[in-house]
Amino acid sequence: MLRFLALVLAFTPLVDDAKAQPMDQTETAPSASTALERRAQDVLAVLNGEADGEEVFAPVFLDAVPMKQVDLIARQFTDQFGRALEVIELNPSEGSVSVVTIRMERAVGQVNLSVEGTGDNRINGLQLLEFTPTNDTVKSITADLEALDGEVSAYFGKLDGSAPVLSLNAEAHMPLGSAMKLYVLGALGEEIAQGKRAWSDVIALDQKSFPSGQLQNWPEGSPVTLQTLASLMISISDNTATDQLIRLLGRDRVAAFMQSTRHSAPERNTPWMTTRELFLIKGGPADQLSAYAQGNPAEREAILARLEEKPATLDAINAKLAAGPVAIDSVEWFANAGDLAGLFTHMRQTNDTEVFRIMAINPALSPNVTNSWSYVGFKGGSETGVLNMTWLLADEQGRERMLTLSWANEQKPVETQTLLLIAQRILSLEQ
């Protein structure tokens, strides 16, 4: 809920409910002689949804990671990269722990594998590491994006206005979740560049939101610097830090900054909500939610002013959001790909440079991806049925690109890992 988990391509299990067709014998490696070699072949079957979990995995593994979860994660990988075809390398090939390099139809990946030292040497540890796409195309990636349930928008290209590498439904105004915090950061960075504030300014903590984050648990009145608030807002998507900055700047100031970036539909984000306000609206009475969704800016402002009279509890909020997406097409923060490109361009022109170091704290990508760029800044956002991932990247020549992916489904939750794998595939097009 308003939290984007900074997942890298590293997990502790994997695989799928839908069983794939058995592999041809020509696709398997030669017969194995060590426990690691035998279980490395089983990893192929796990990825392809062909493994008998009780036979392959140790009970301690399945107690921690049910086979349904293993299957789900494996399916996400094979959906993106195709079937697992062969073990390329096992390093080392003896002992109980090894790194397995696997060739898939559209990627080469590495997996940490550990096996028991006794009995059947069943797998007691499995961690997917780096998966590097191969032989991928814009056409195949676009087709996979279009196949996702719900509405999807994607854009990858330079910020100089040249033709993008990939663009799909880029004009659609998509819900941002916590990616809206980029606008709060931009408004703050502009005031610091103008000398109105300093990163070292200290304020007393007097705003509390709901998780994600940490500051909601800090004592009232705790002294915090603007640098700390901004860093927590971006790197761990701290909602209380966000609301503290919105209170400091003023919601009208953030909205004015949004308009200065030439946002194409600023009225959809007016008045600029705090994270607490969004939670209280979505977790509150149905008639209040409907009135806010249908109201004009003045009517919405009046509703916000009354929210704390009978605020919804965290339990009520969680119960409503757990039941499915809530008004994600009307009560949210919205932008399209062009709006976000305009935001980054405006921030480069008006913001203090520390803003971009803050954006780079948590790039949400594995090192083998980030090492291909001289700069990677990131902010994502999510709530039930909503997911946005937005990166600002620069190559060795300093030429900047933006990748933004948005996925919204009004009926059910969306999968973070699926979109993150697609993001890696898109970035690999220019590596």
Side-chain angles (χ1 to χ4, degrees):
M1 303 165 194
L2 289 184
R3 180 181 181 188
F4 174 74
L5 300 178
L7 298 175
V8 213
L9 292 182
F11 299 86
T12 319
L14 37 325
V15 209
D16 167 20
D17 304 58
K19 301 298 182 183
Q21 295 300 314
M23 290 197 309
D24 294 334
Q25 291 300 313
T26 56
E27 294 178 338
T28 61
S31 59
S33 57
T34 71
L36 279 174
E37 289 172 335
R38 291 192 298 274
R39 291 309 181 187
Q41 295 302 315
D42 287 333
V43 171
L44 300 181
V46 168
L47 283 168
N48 291 328
E50 300 163 354
D52 179 348
E54 297 293 334
E55 199 288 316
V56 169
F57 291 107
V60 65
F61 182 96
L62 293 177
D63 286 345
V65 188
M67 199 63 197
K68 286 184 67 175
Q69 185 178 349
V70 172
D71 286 343
L72 172 62
I73 297 173
R75 178 178 57 79
Q76 291 171 340
F77 275 75
T78 53
D79 281 351
Q80 298 303 319
F81 301 130
R83 287 175 55 80
L85 301 179
E86 64 175 338
V87 173
I88 299 175
E89 184 181 14
L90 194 62
N91 186 21
S93 60
E94 298 184 0
S96 61
V97 180
S98 183
V99 175
V100 186
T101 302
I102 294 171
R103 182 171 68 85
M104 303 183 73
E105 289 179 328
R106 297 187 297 276
V108 173
Q110 289 190 320
V111 177
N112 272 344
L113 171 66
S114 66
V115 300
E116 296 176 315
T118 59
D120 294 334
N121 305 113
R122 284 178 288 185
I123 295 173
N124 59 14
L126 191 61
Q127 184 182 39
L128 303 183
L129 298 175
E130 313 293 353
F131 278 69
T132 303
T134 58
N135 303 318
D136 219 344
T137 66
V138 170
K139 183 178 180 180
S140 62
I141 295 172
T142 300
D144 289 341
L145 284 167
E146 291 176 330
L148 298 177
D149 289 337
E151 185 177 12
V152 178
S153 174
Y155 184 93
F156 178 47
K158 296 178 182 176
L159 291 179
D160 60 7
S162 58
V165 175
L166 184 151
S167 180
L168 174 67
N169 201 23
E171 71 289 345
H173 291 97
M174 302 291 289
L176 295 176
S178 284
M180 70 85 177
K181 294 169 185 177
L182 289 169
Y183 285 96
V184 181
L185 180 66
L188 175 64
E190 188 171 81
E191 293 206 350
I192 289 175
Q194 292 169 350
K196 296 178 179 179
R197 305 183 190 278
W199 292 111
S200 58
D201 288 351
V202 177
I203 62 174
L205 192 64
D206 62 6
Q207 301 293 303
K208 292 295 179 75
S209 184
F210 303 102
S212 59
Q214 300 174 350
L215 291 187
Q216 73 275 0
N217 300 320
W218 285 26
E220 187 84 9
S222 295
V224 284
T225 67
L226 300 189
Q227 169 84 35
T228 297
L229 290 171
S231 297
L232 291 175
M233 174 177 71
I234 298 301
S235 64
I236 64 169
S237 208
D238 194 295
N239 289 331
T240 292
T242 305
D243 289 2
Q244 191 74 59
L245 288 173
I246 294 174
R247 175 66 177 269
L248 176 71
L249 296 164
R251 71 168 85 249
D252 291 344
R253 174 69 181 90
V254 178
F257 175 79
M258 171 194 61
Q259 293 181 352
S260 71
T261 67
R262 298 186 178 182
H263 192 287
S264 58
E267 68 282 356
R268 299 200 68 180
N269 300 323
T270 307
W272 191 273
M273 293 181 292
T274 65
T275 66
R276 179 177 174 84
E277 287 167 342
L278 178 126
F279 279 124
L280 292 180
I281 294 169
K282 295 203 174 194
D287 58 345
Q288 178 180 266
L289 175 66
S290 177
Y292 192 90
Q294 298 173 24
N296 60 40
E299 292 167 336
R300 290 178 173 182
E301 189 88 47
I303 292 172
L304 295 183
R306 299 192 301 268
L307 279 179
E308 296 295 345
E309 294 175 1
K310 290 185 177 180
T313 65
L314 180 57
D315 286 344
I317 293 166
N318 283 337
K320 286 204 172 182
L321 293 177
V326 179
I328 64 173
D329 62 335
S330 55
V331 182
E332 251 283 353
W333 303 271
F334 298 91
N336 64 23
D339 296 330
L340 292 169
L343 168 63
F344 285 145
T345 299
H346 190 78
M347 288 172 70
R348 279 296 190 194
Q349 294 168 350
T350 67
N351 273 210
D352 184 83
T353 55
E354 185 66 15
V355 158
F356 300 98
R357 286 190 282 272
I358 290 171
M359 284 177 54
I361 294 173
N362 176 12
L365 292 166
S366 55
N368 77 316
V369 180
T370 58
N371 290 342
S372 300
W373 302 90
S374 64
Y375 173 82
V376 180
F378 171 79
K379 186 71 192 85
S382 66
E383 67 167 281
T384 307
V386 171
L387 182 59
N388 173 274
M389 302 179 186
T390 298
W391 286 269
L392 177 65
L393 310 108
D395 61 20
E396 294 299 330
Q397 289 72 44
R399 294 171 299 194
E400 290 189 315
R401 293 164 176 79
M402 181 188 74
L403 170 60
T404 185
L405 299 170
S406 290
W407 184 8
N409 189 314
E410 297 181 27
Q411 306 301 320
K412 61 182 181 180
V414 295
E415 297 174 346
T416 298
Q417 182 60 16
T418 295
L419 210 60
L420 189 58
L421 290 172
I422 291 178
Q424 185 186 1
R425 291 172 60 193
I426 293 172
L427 291 175
S428 295
L429 293 172
E430 291 205 352
Q431 291 178 9

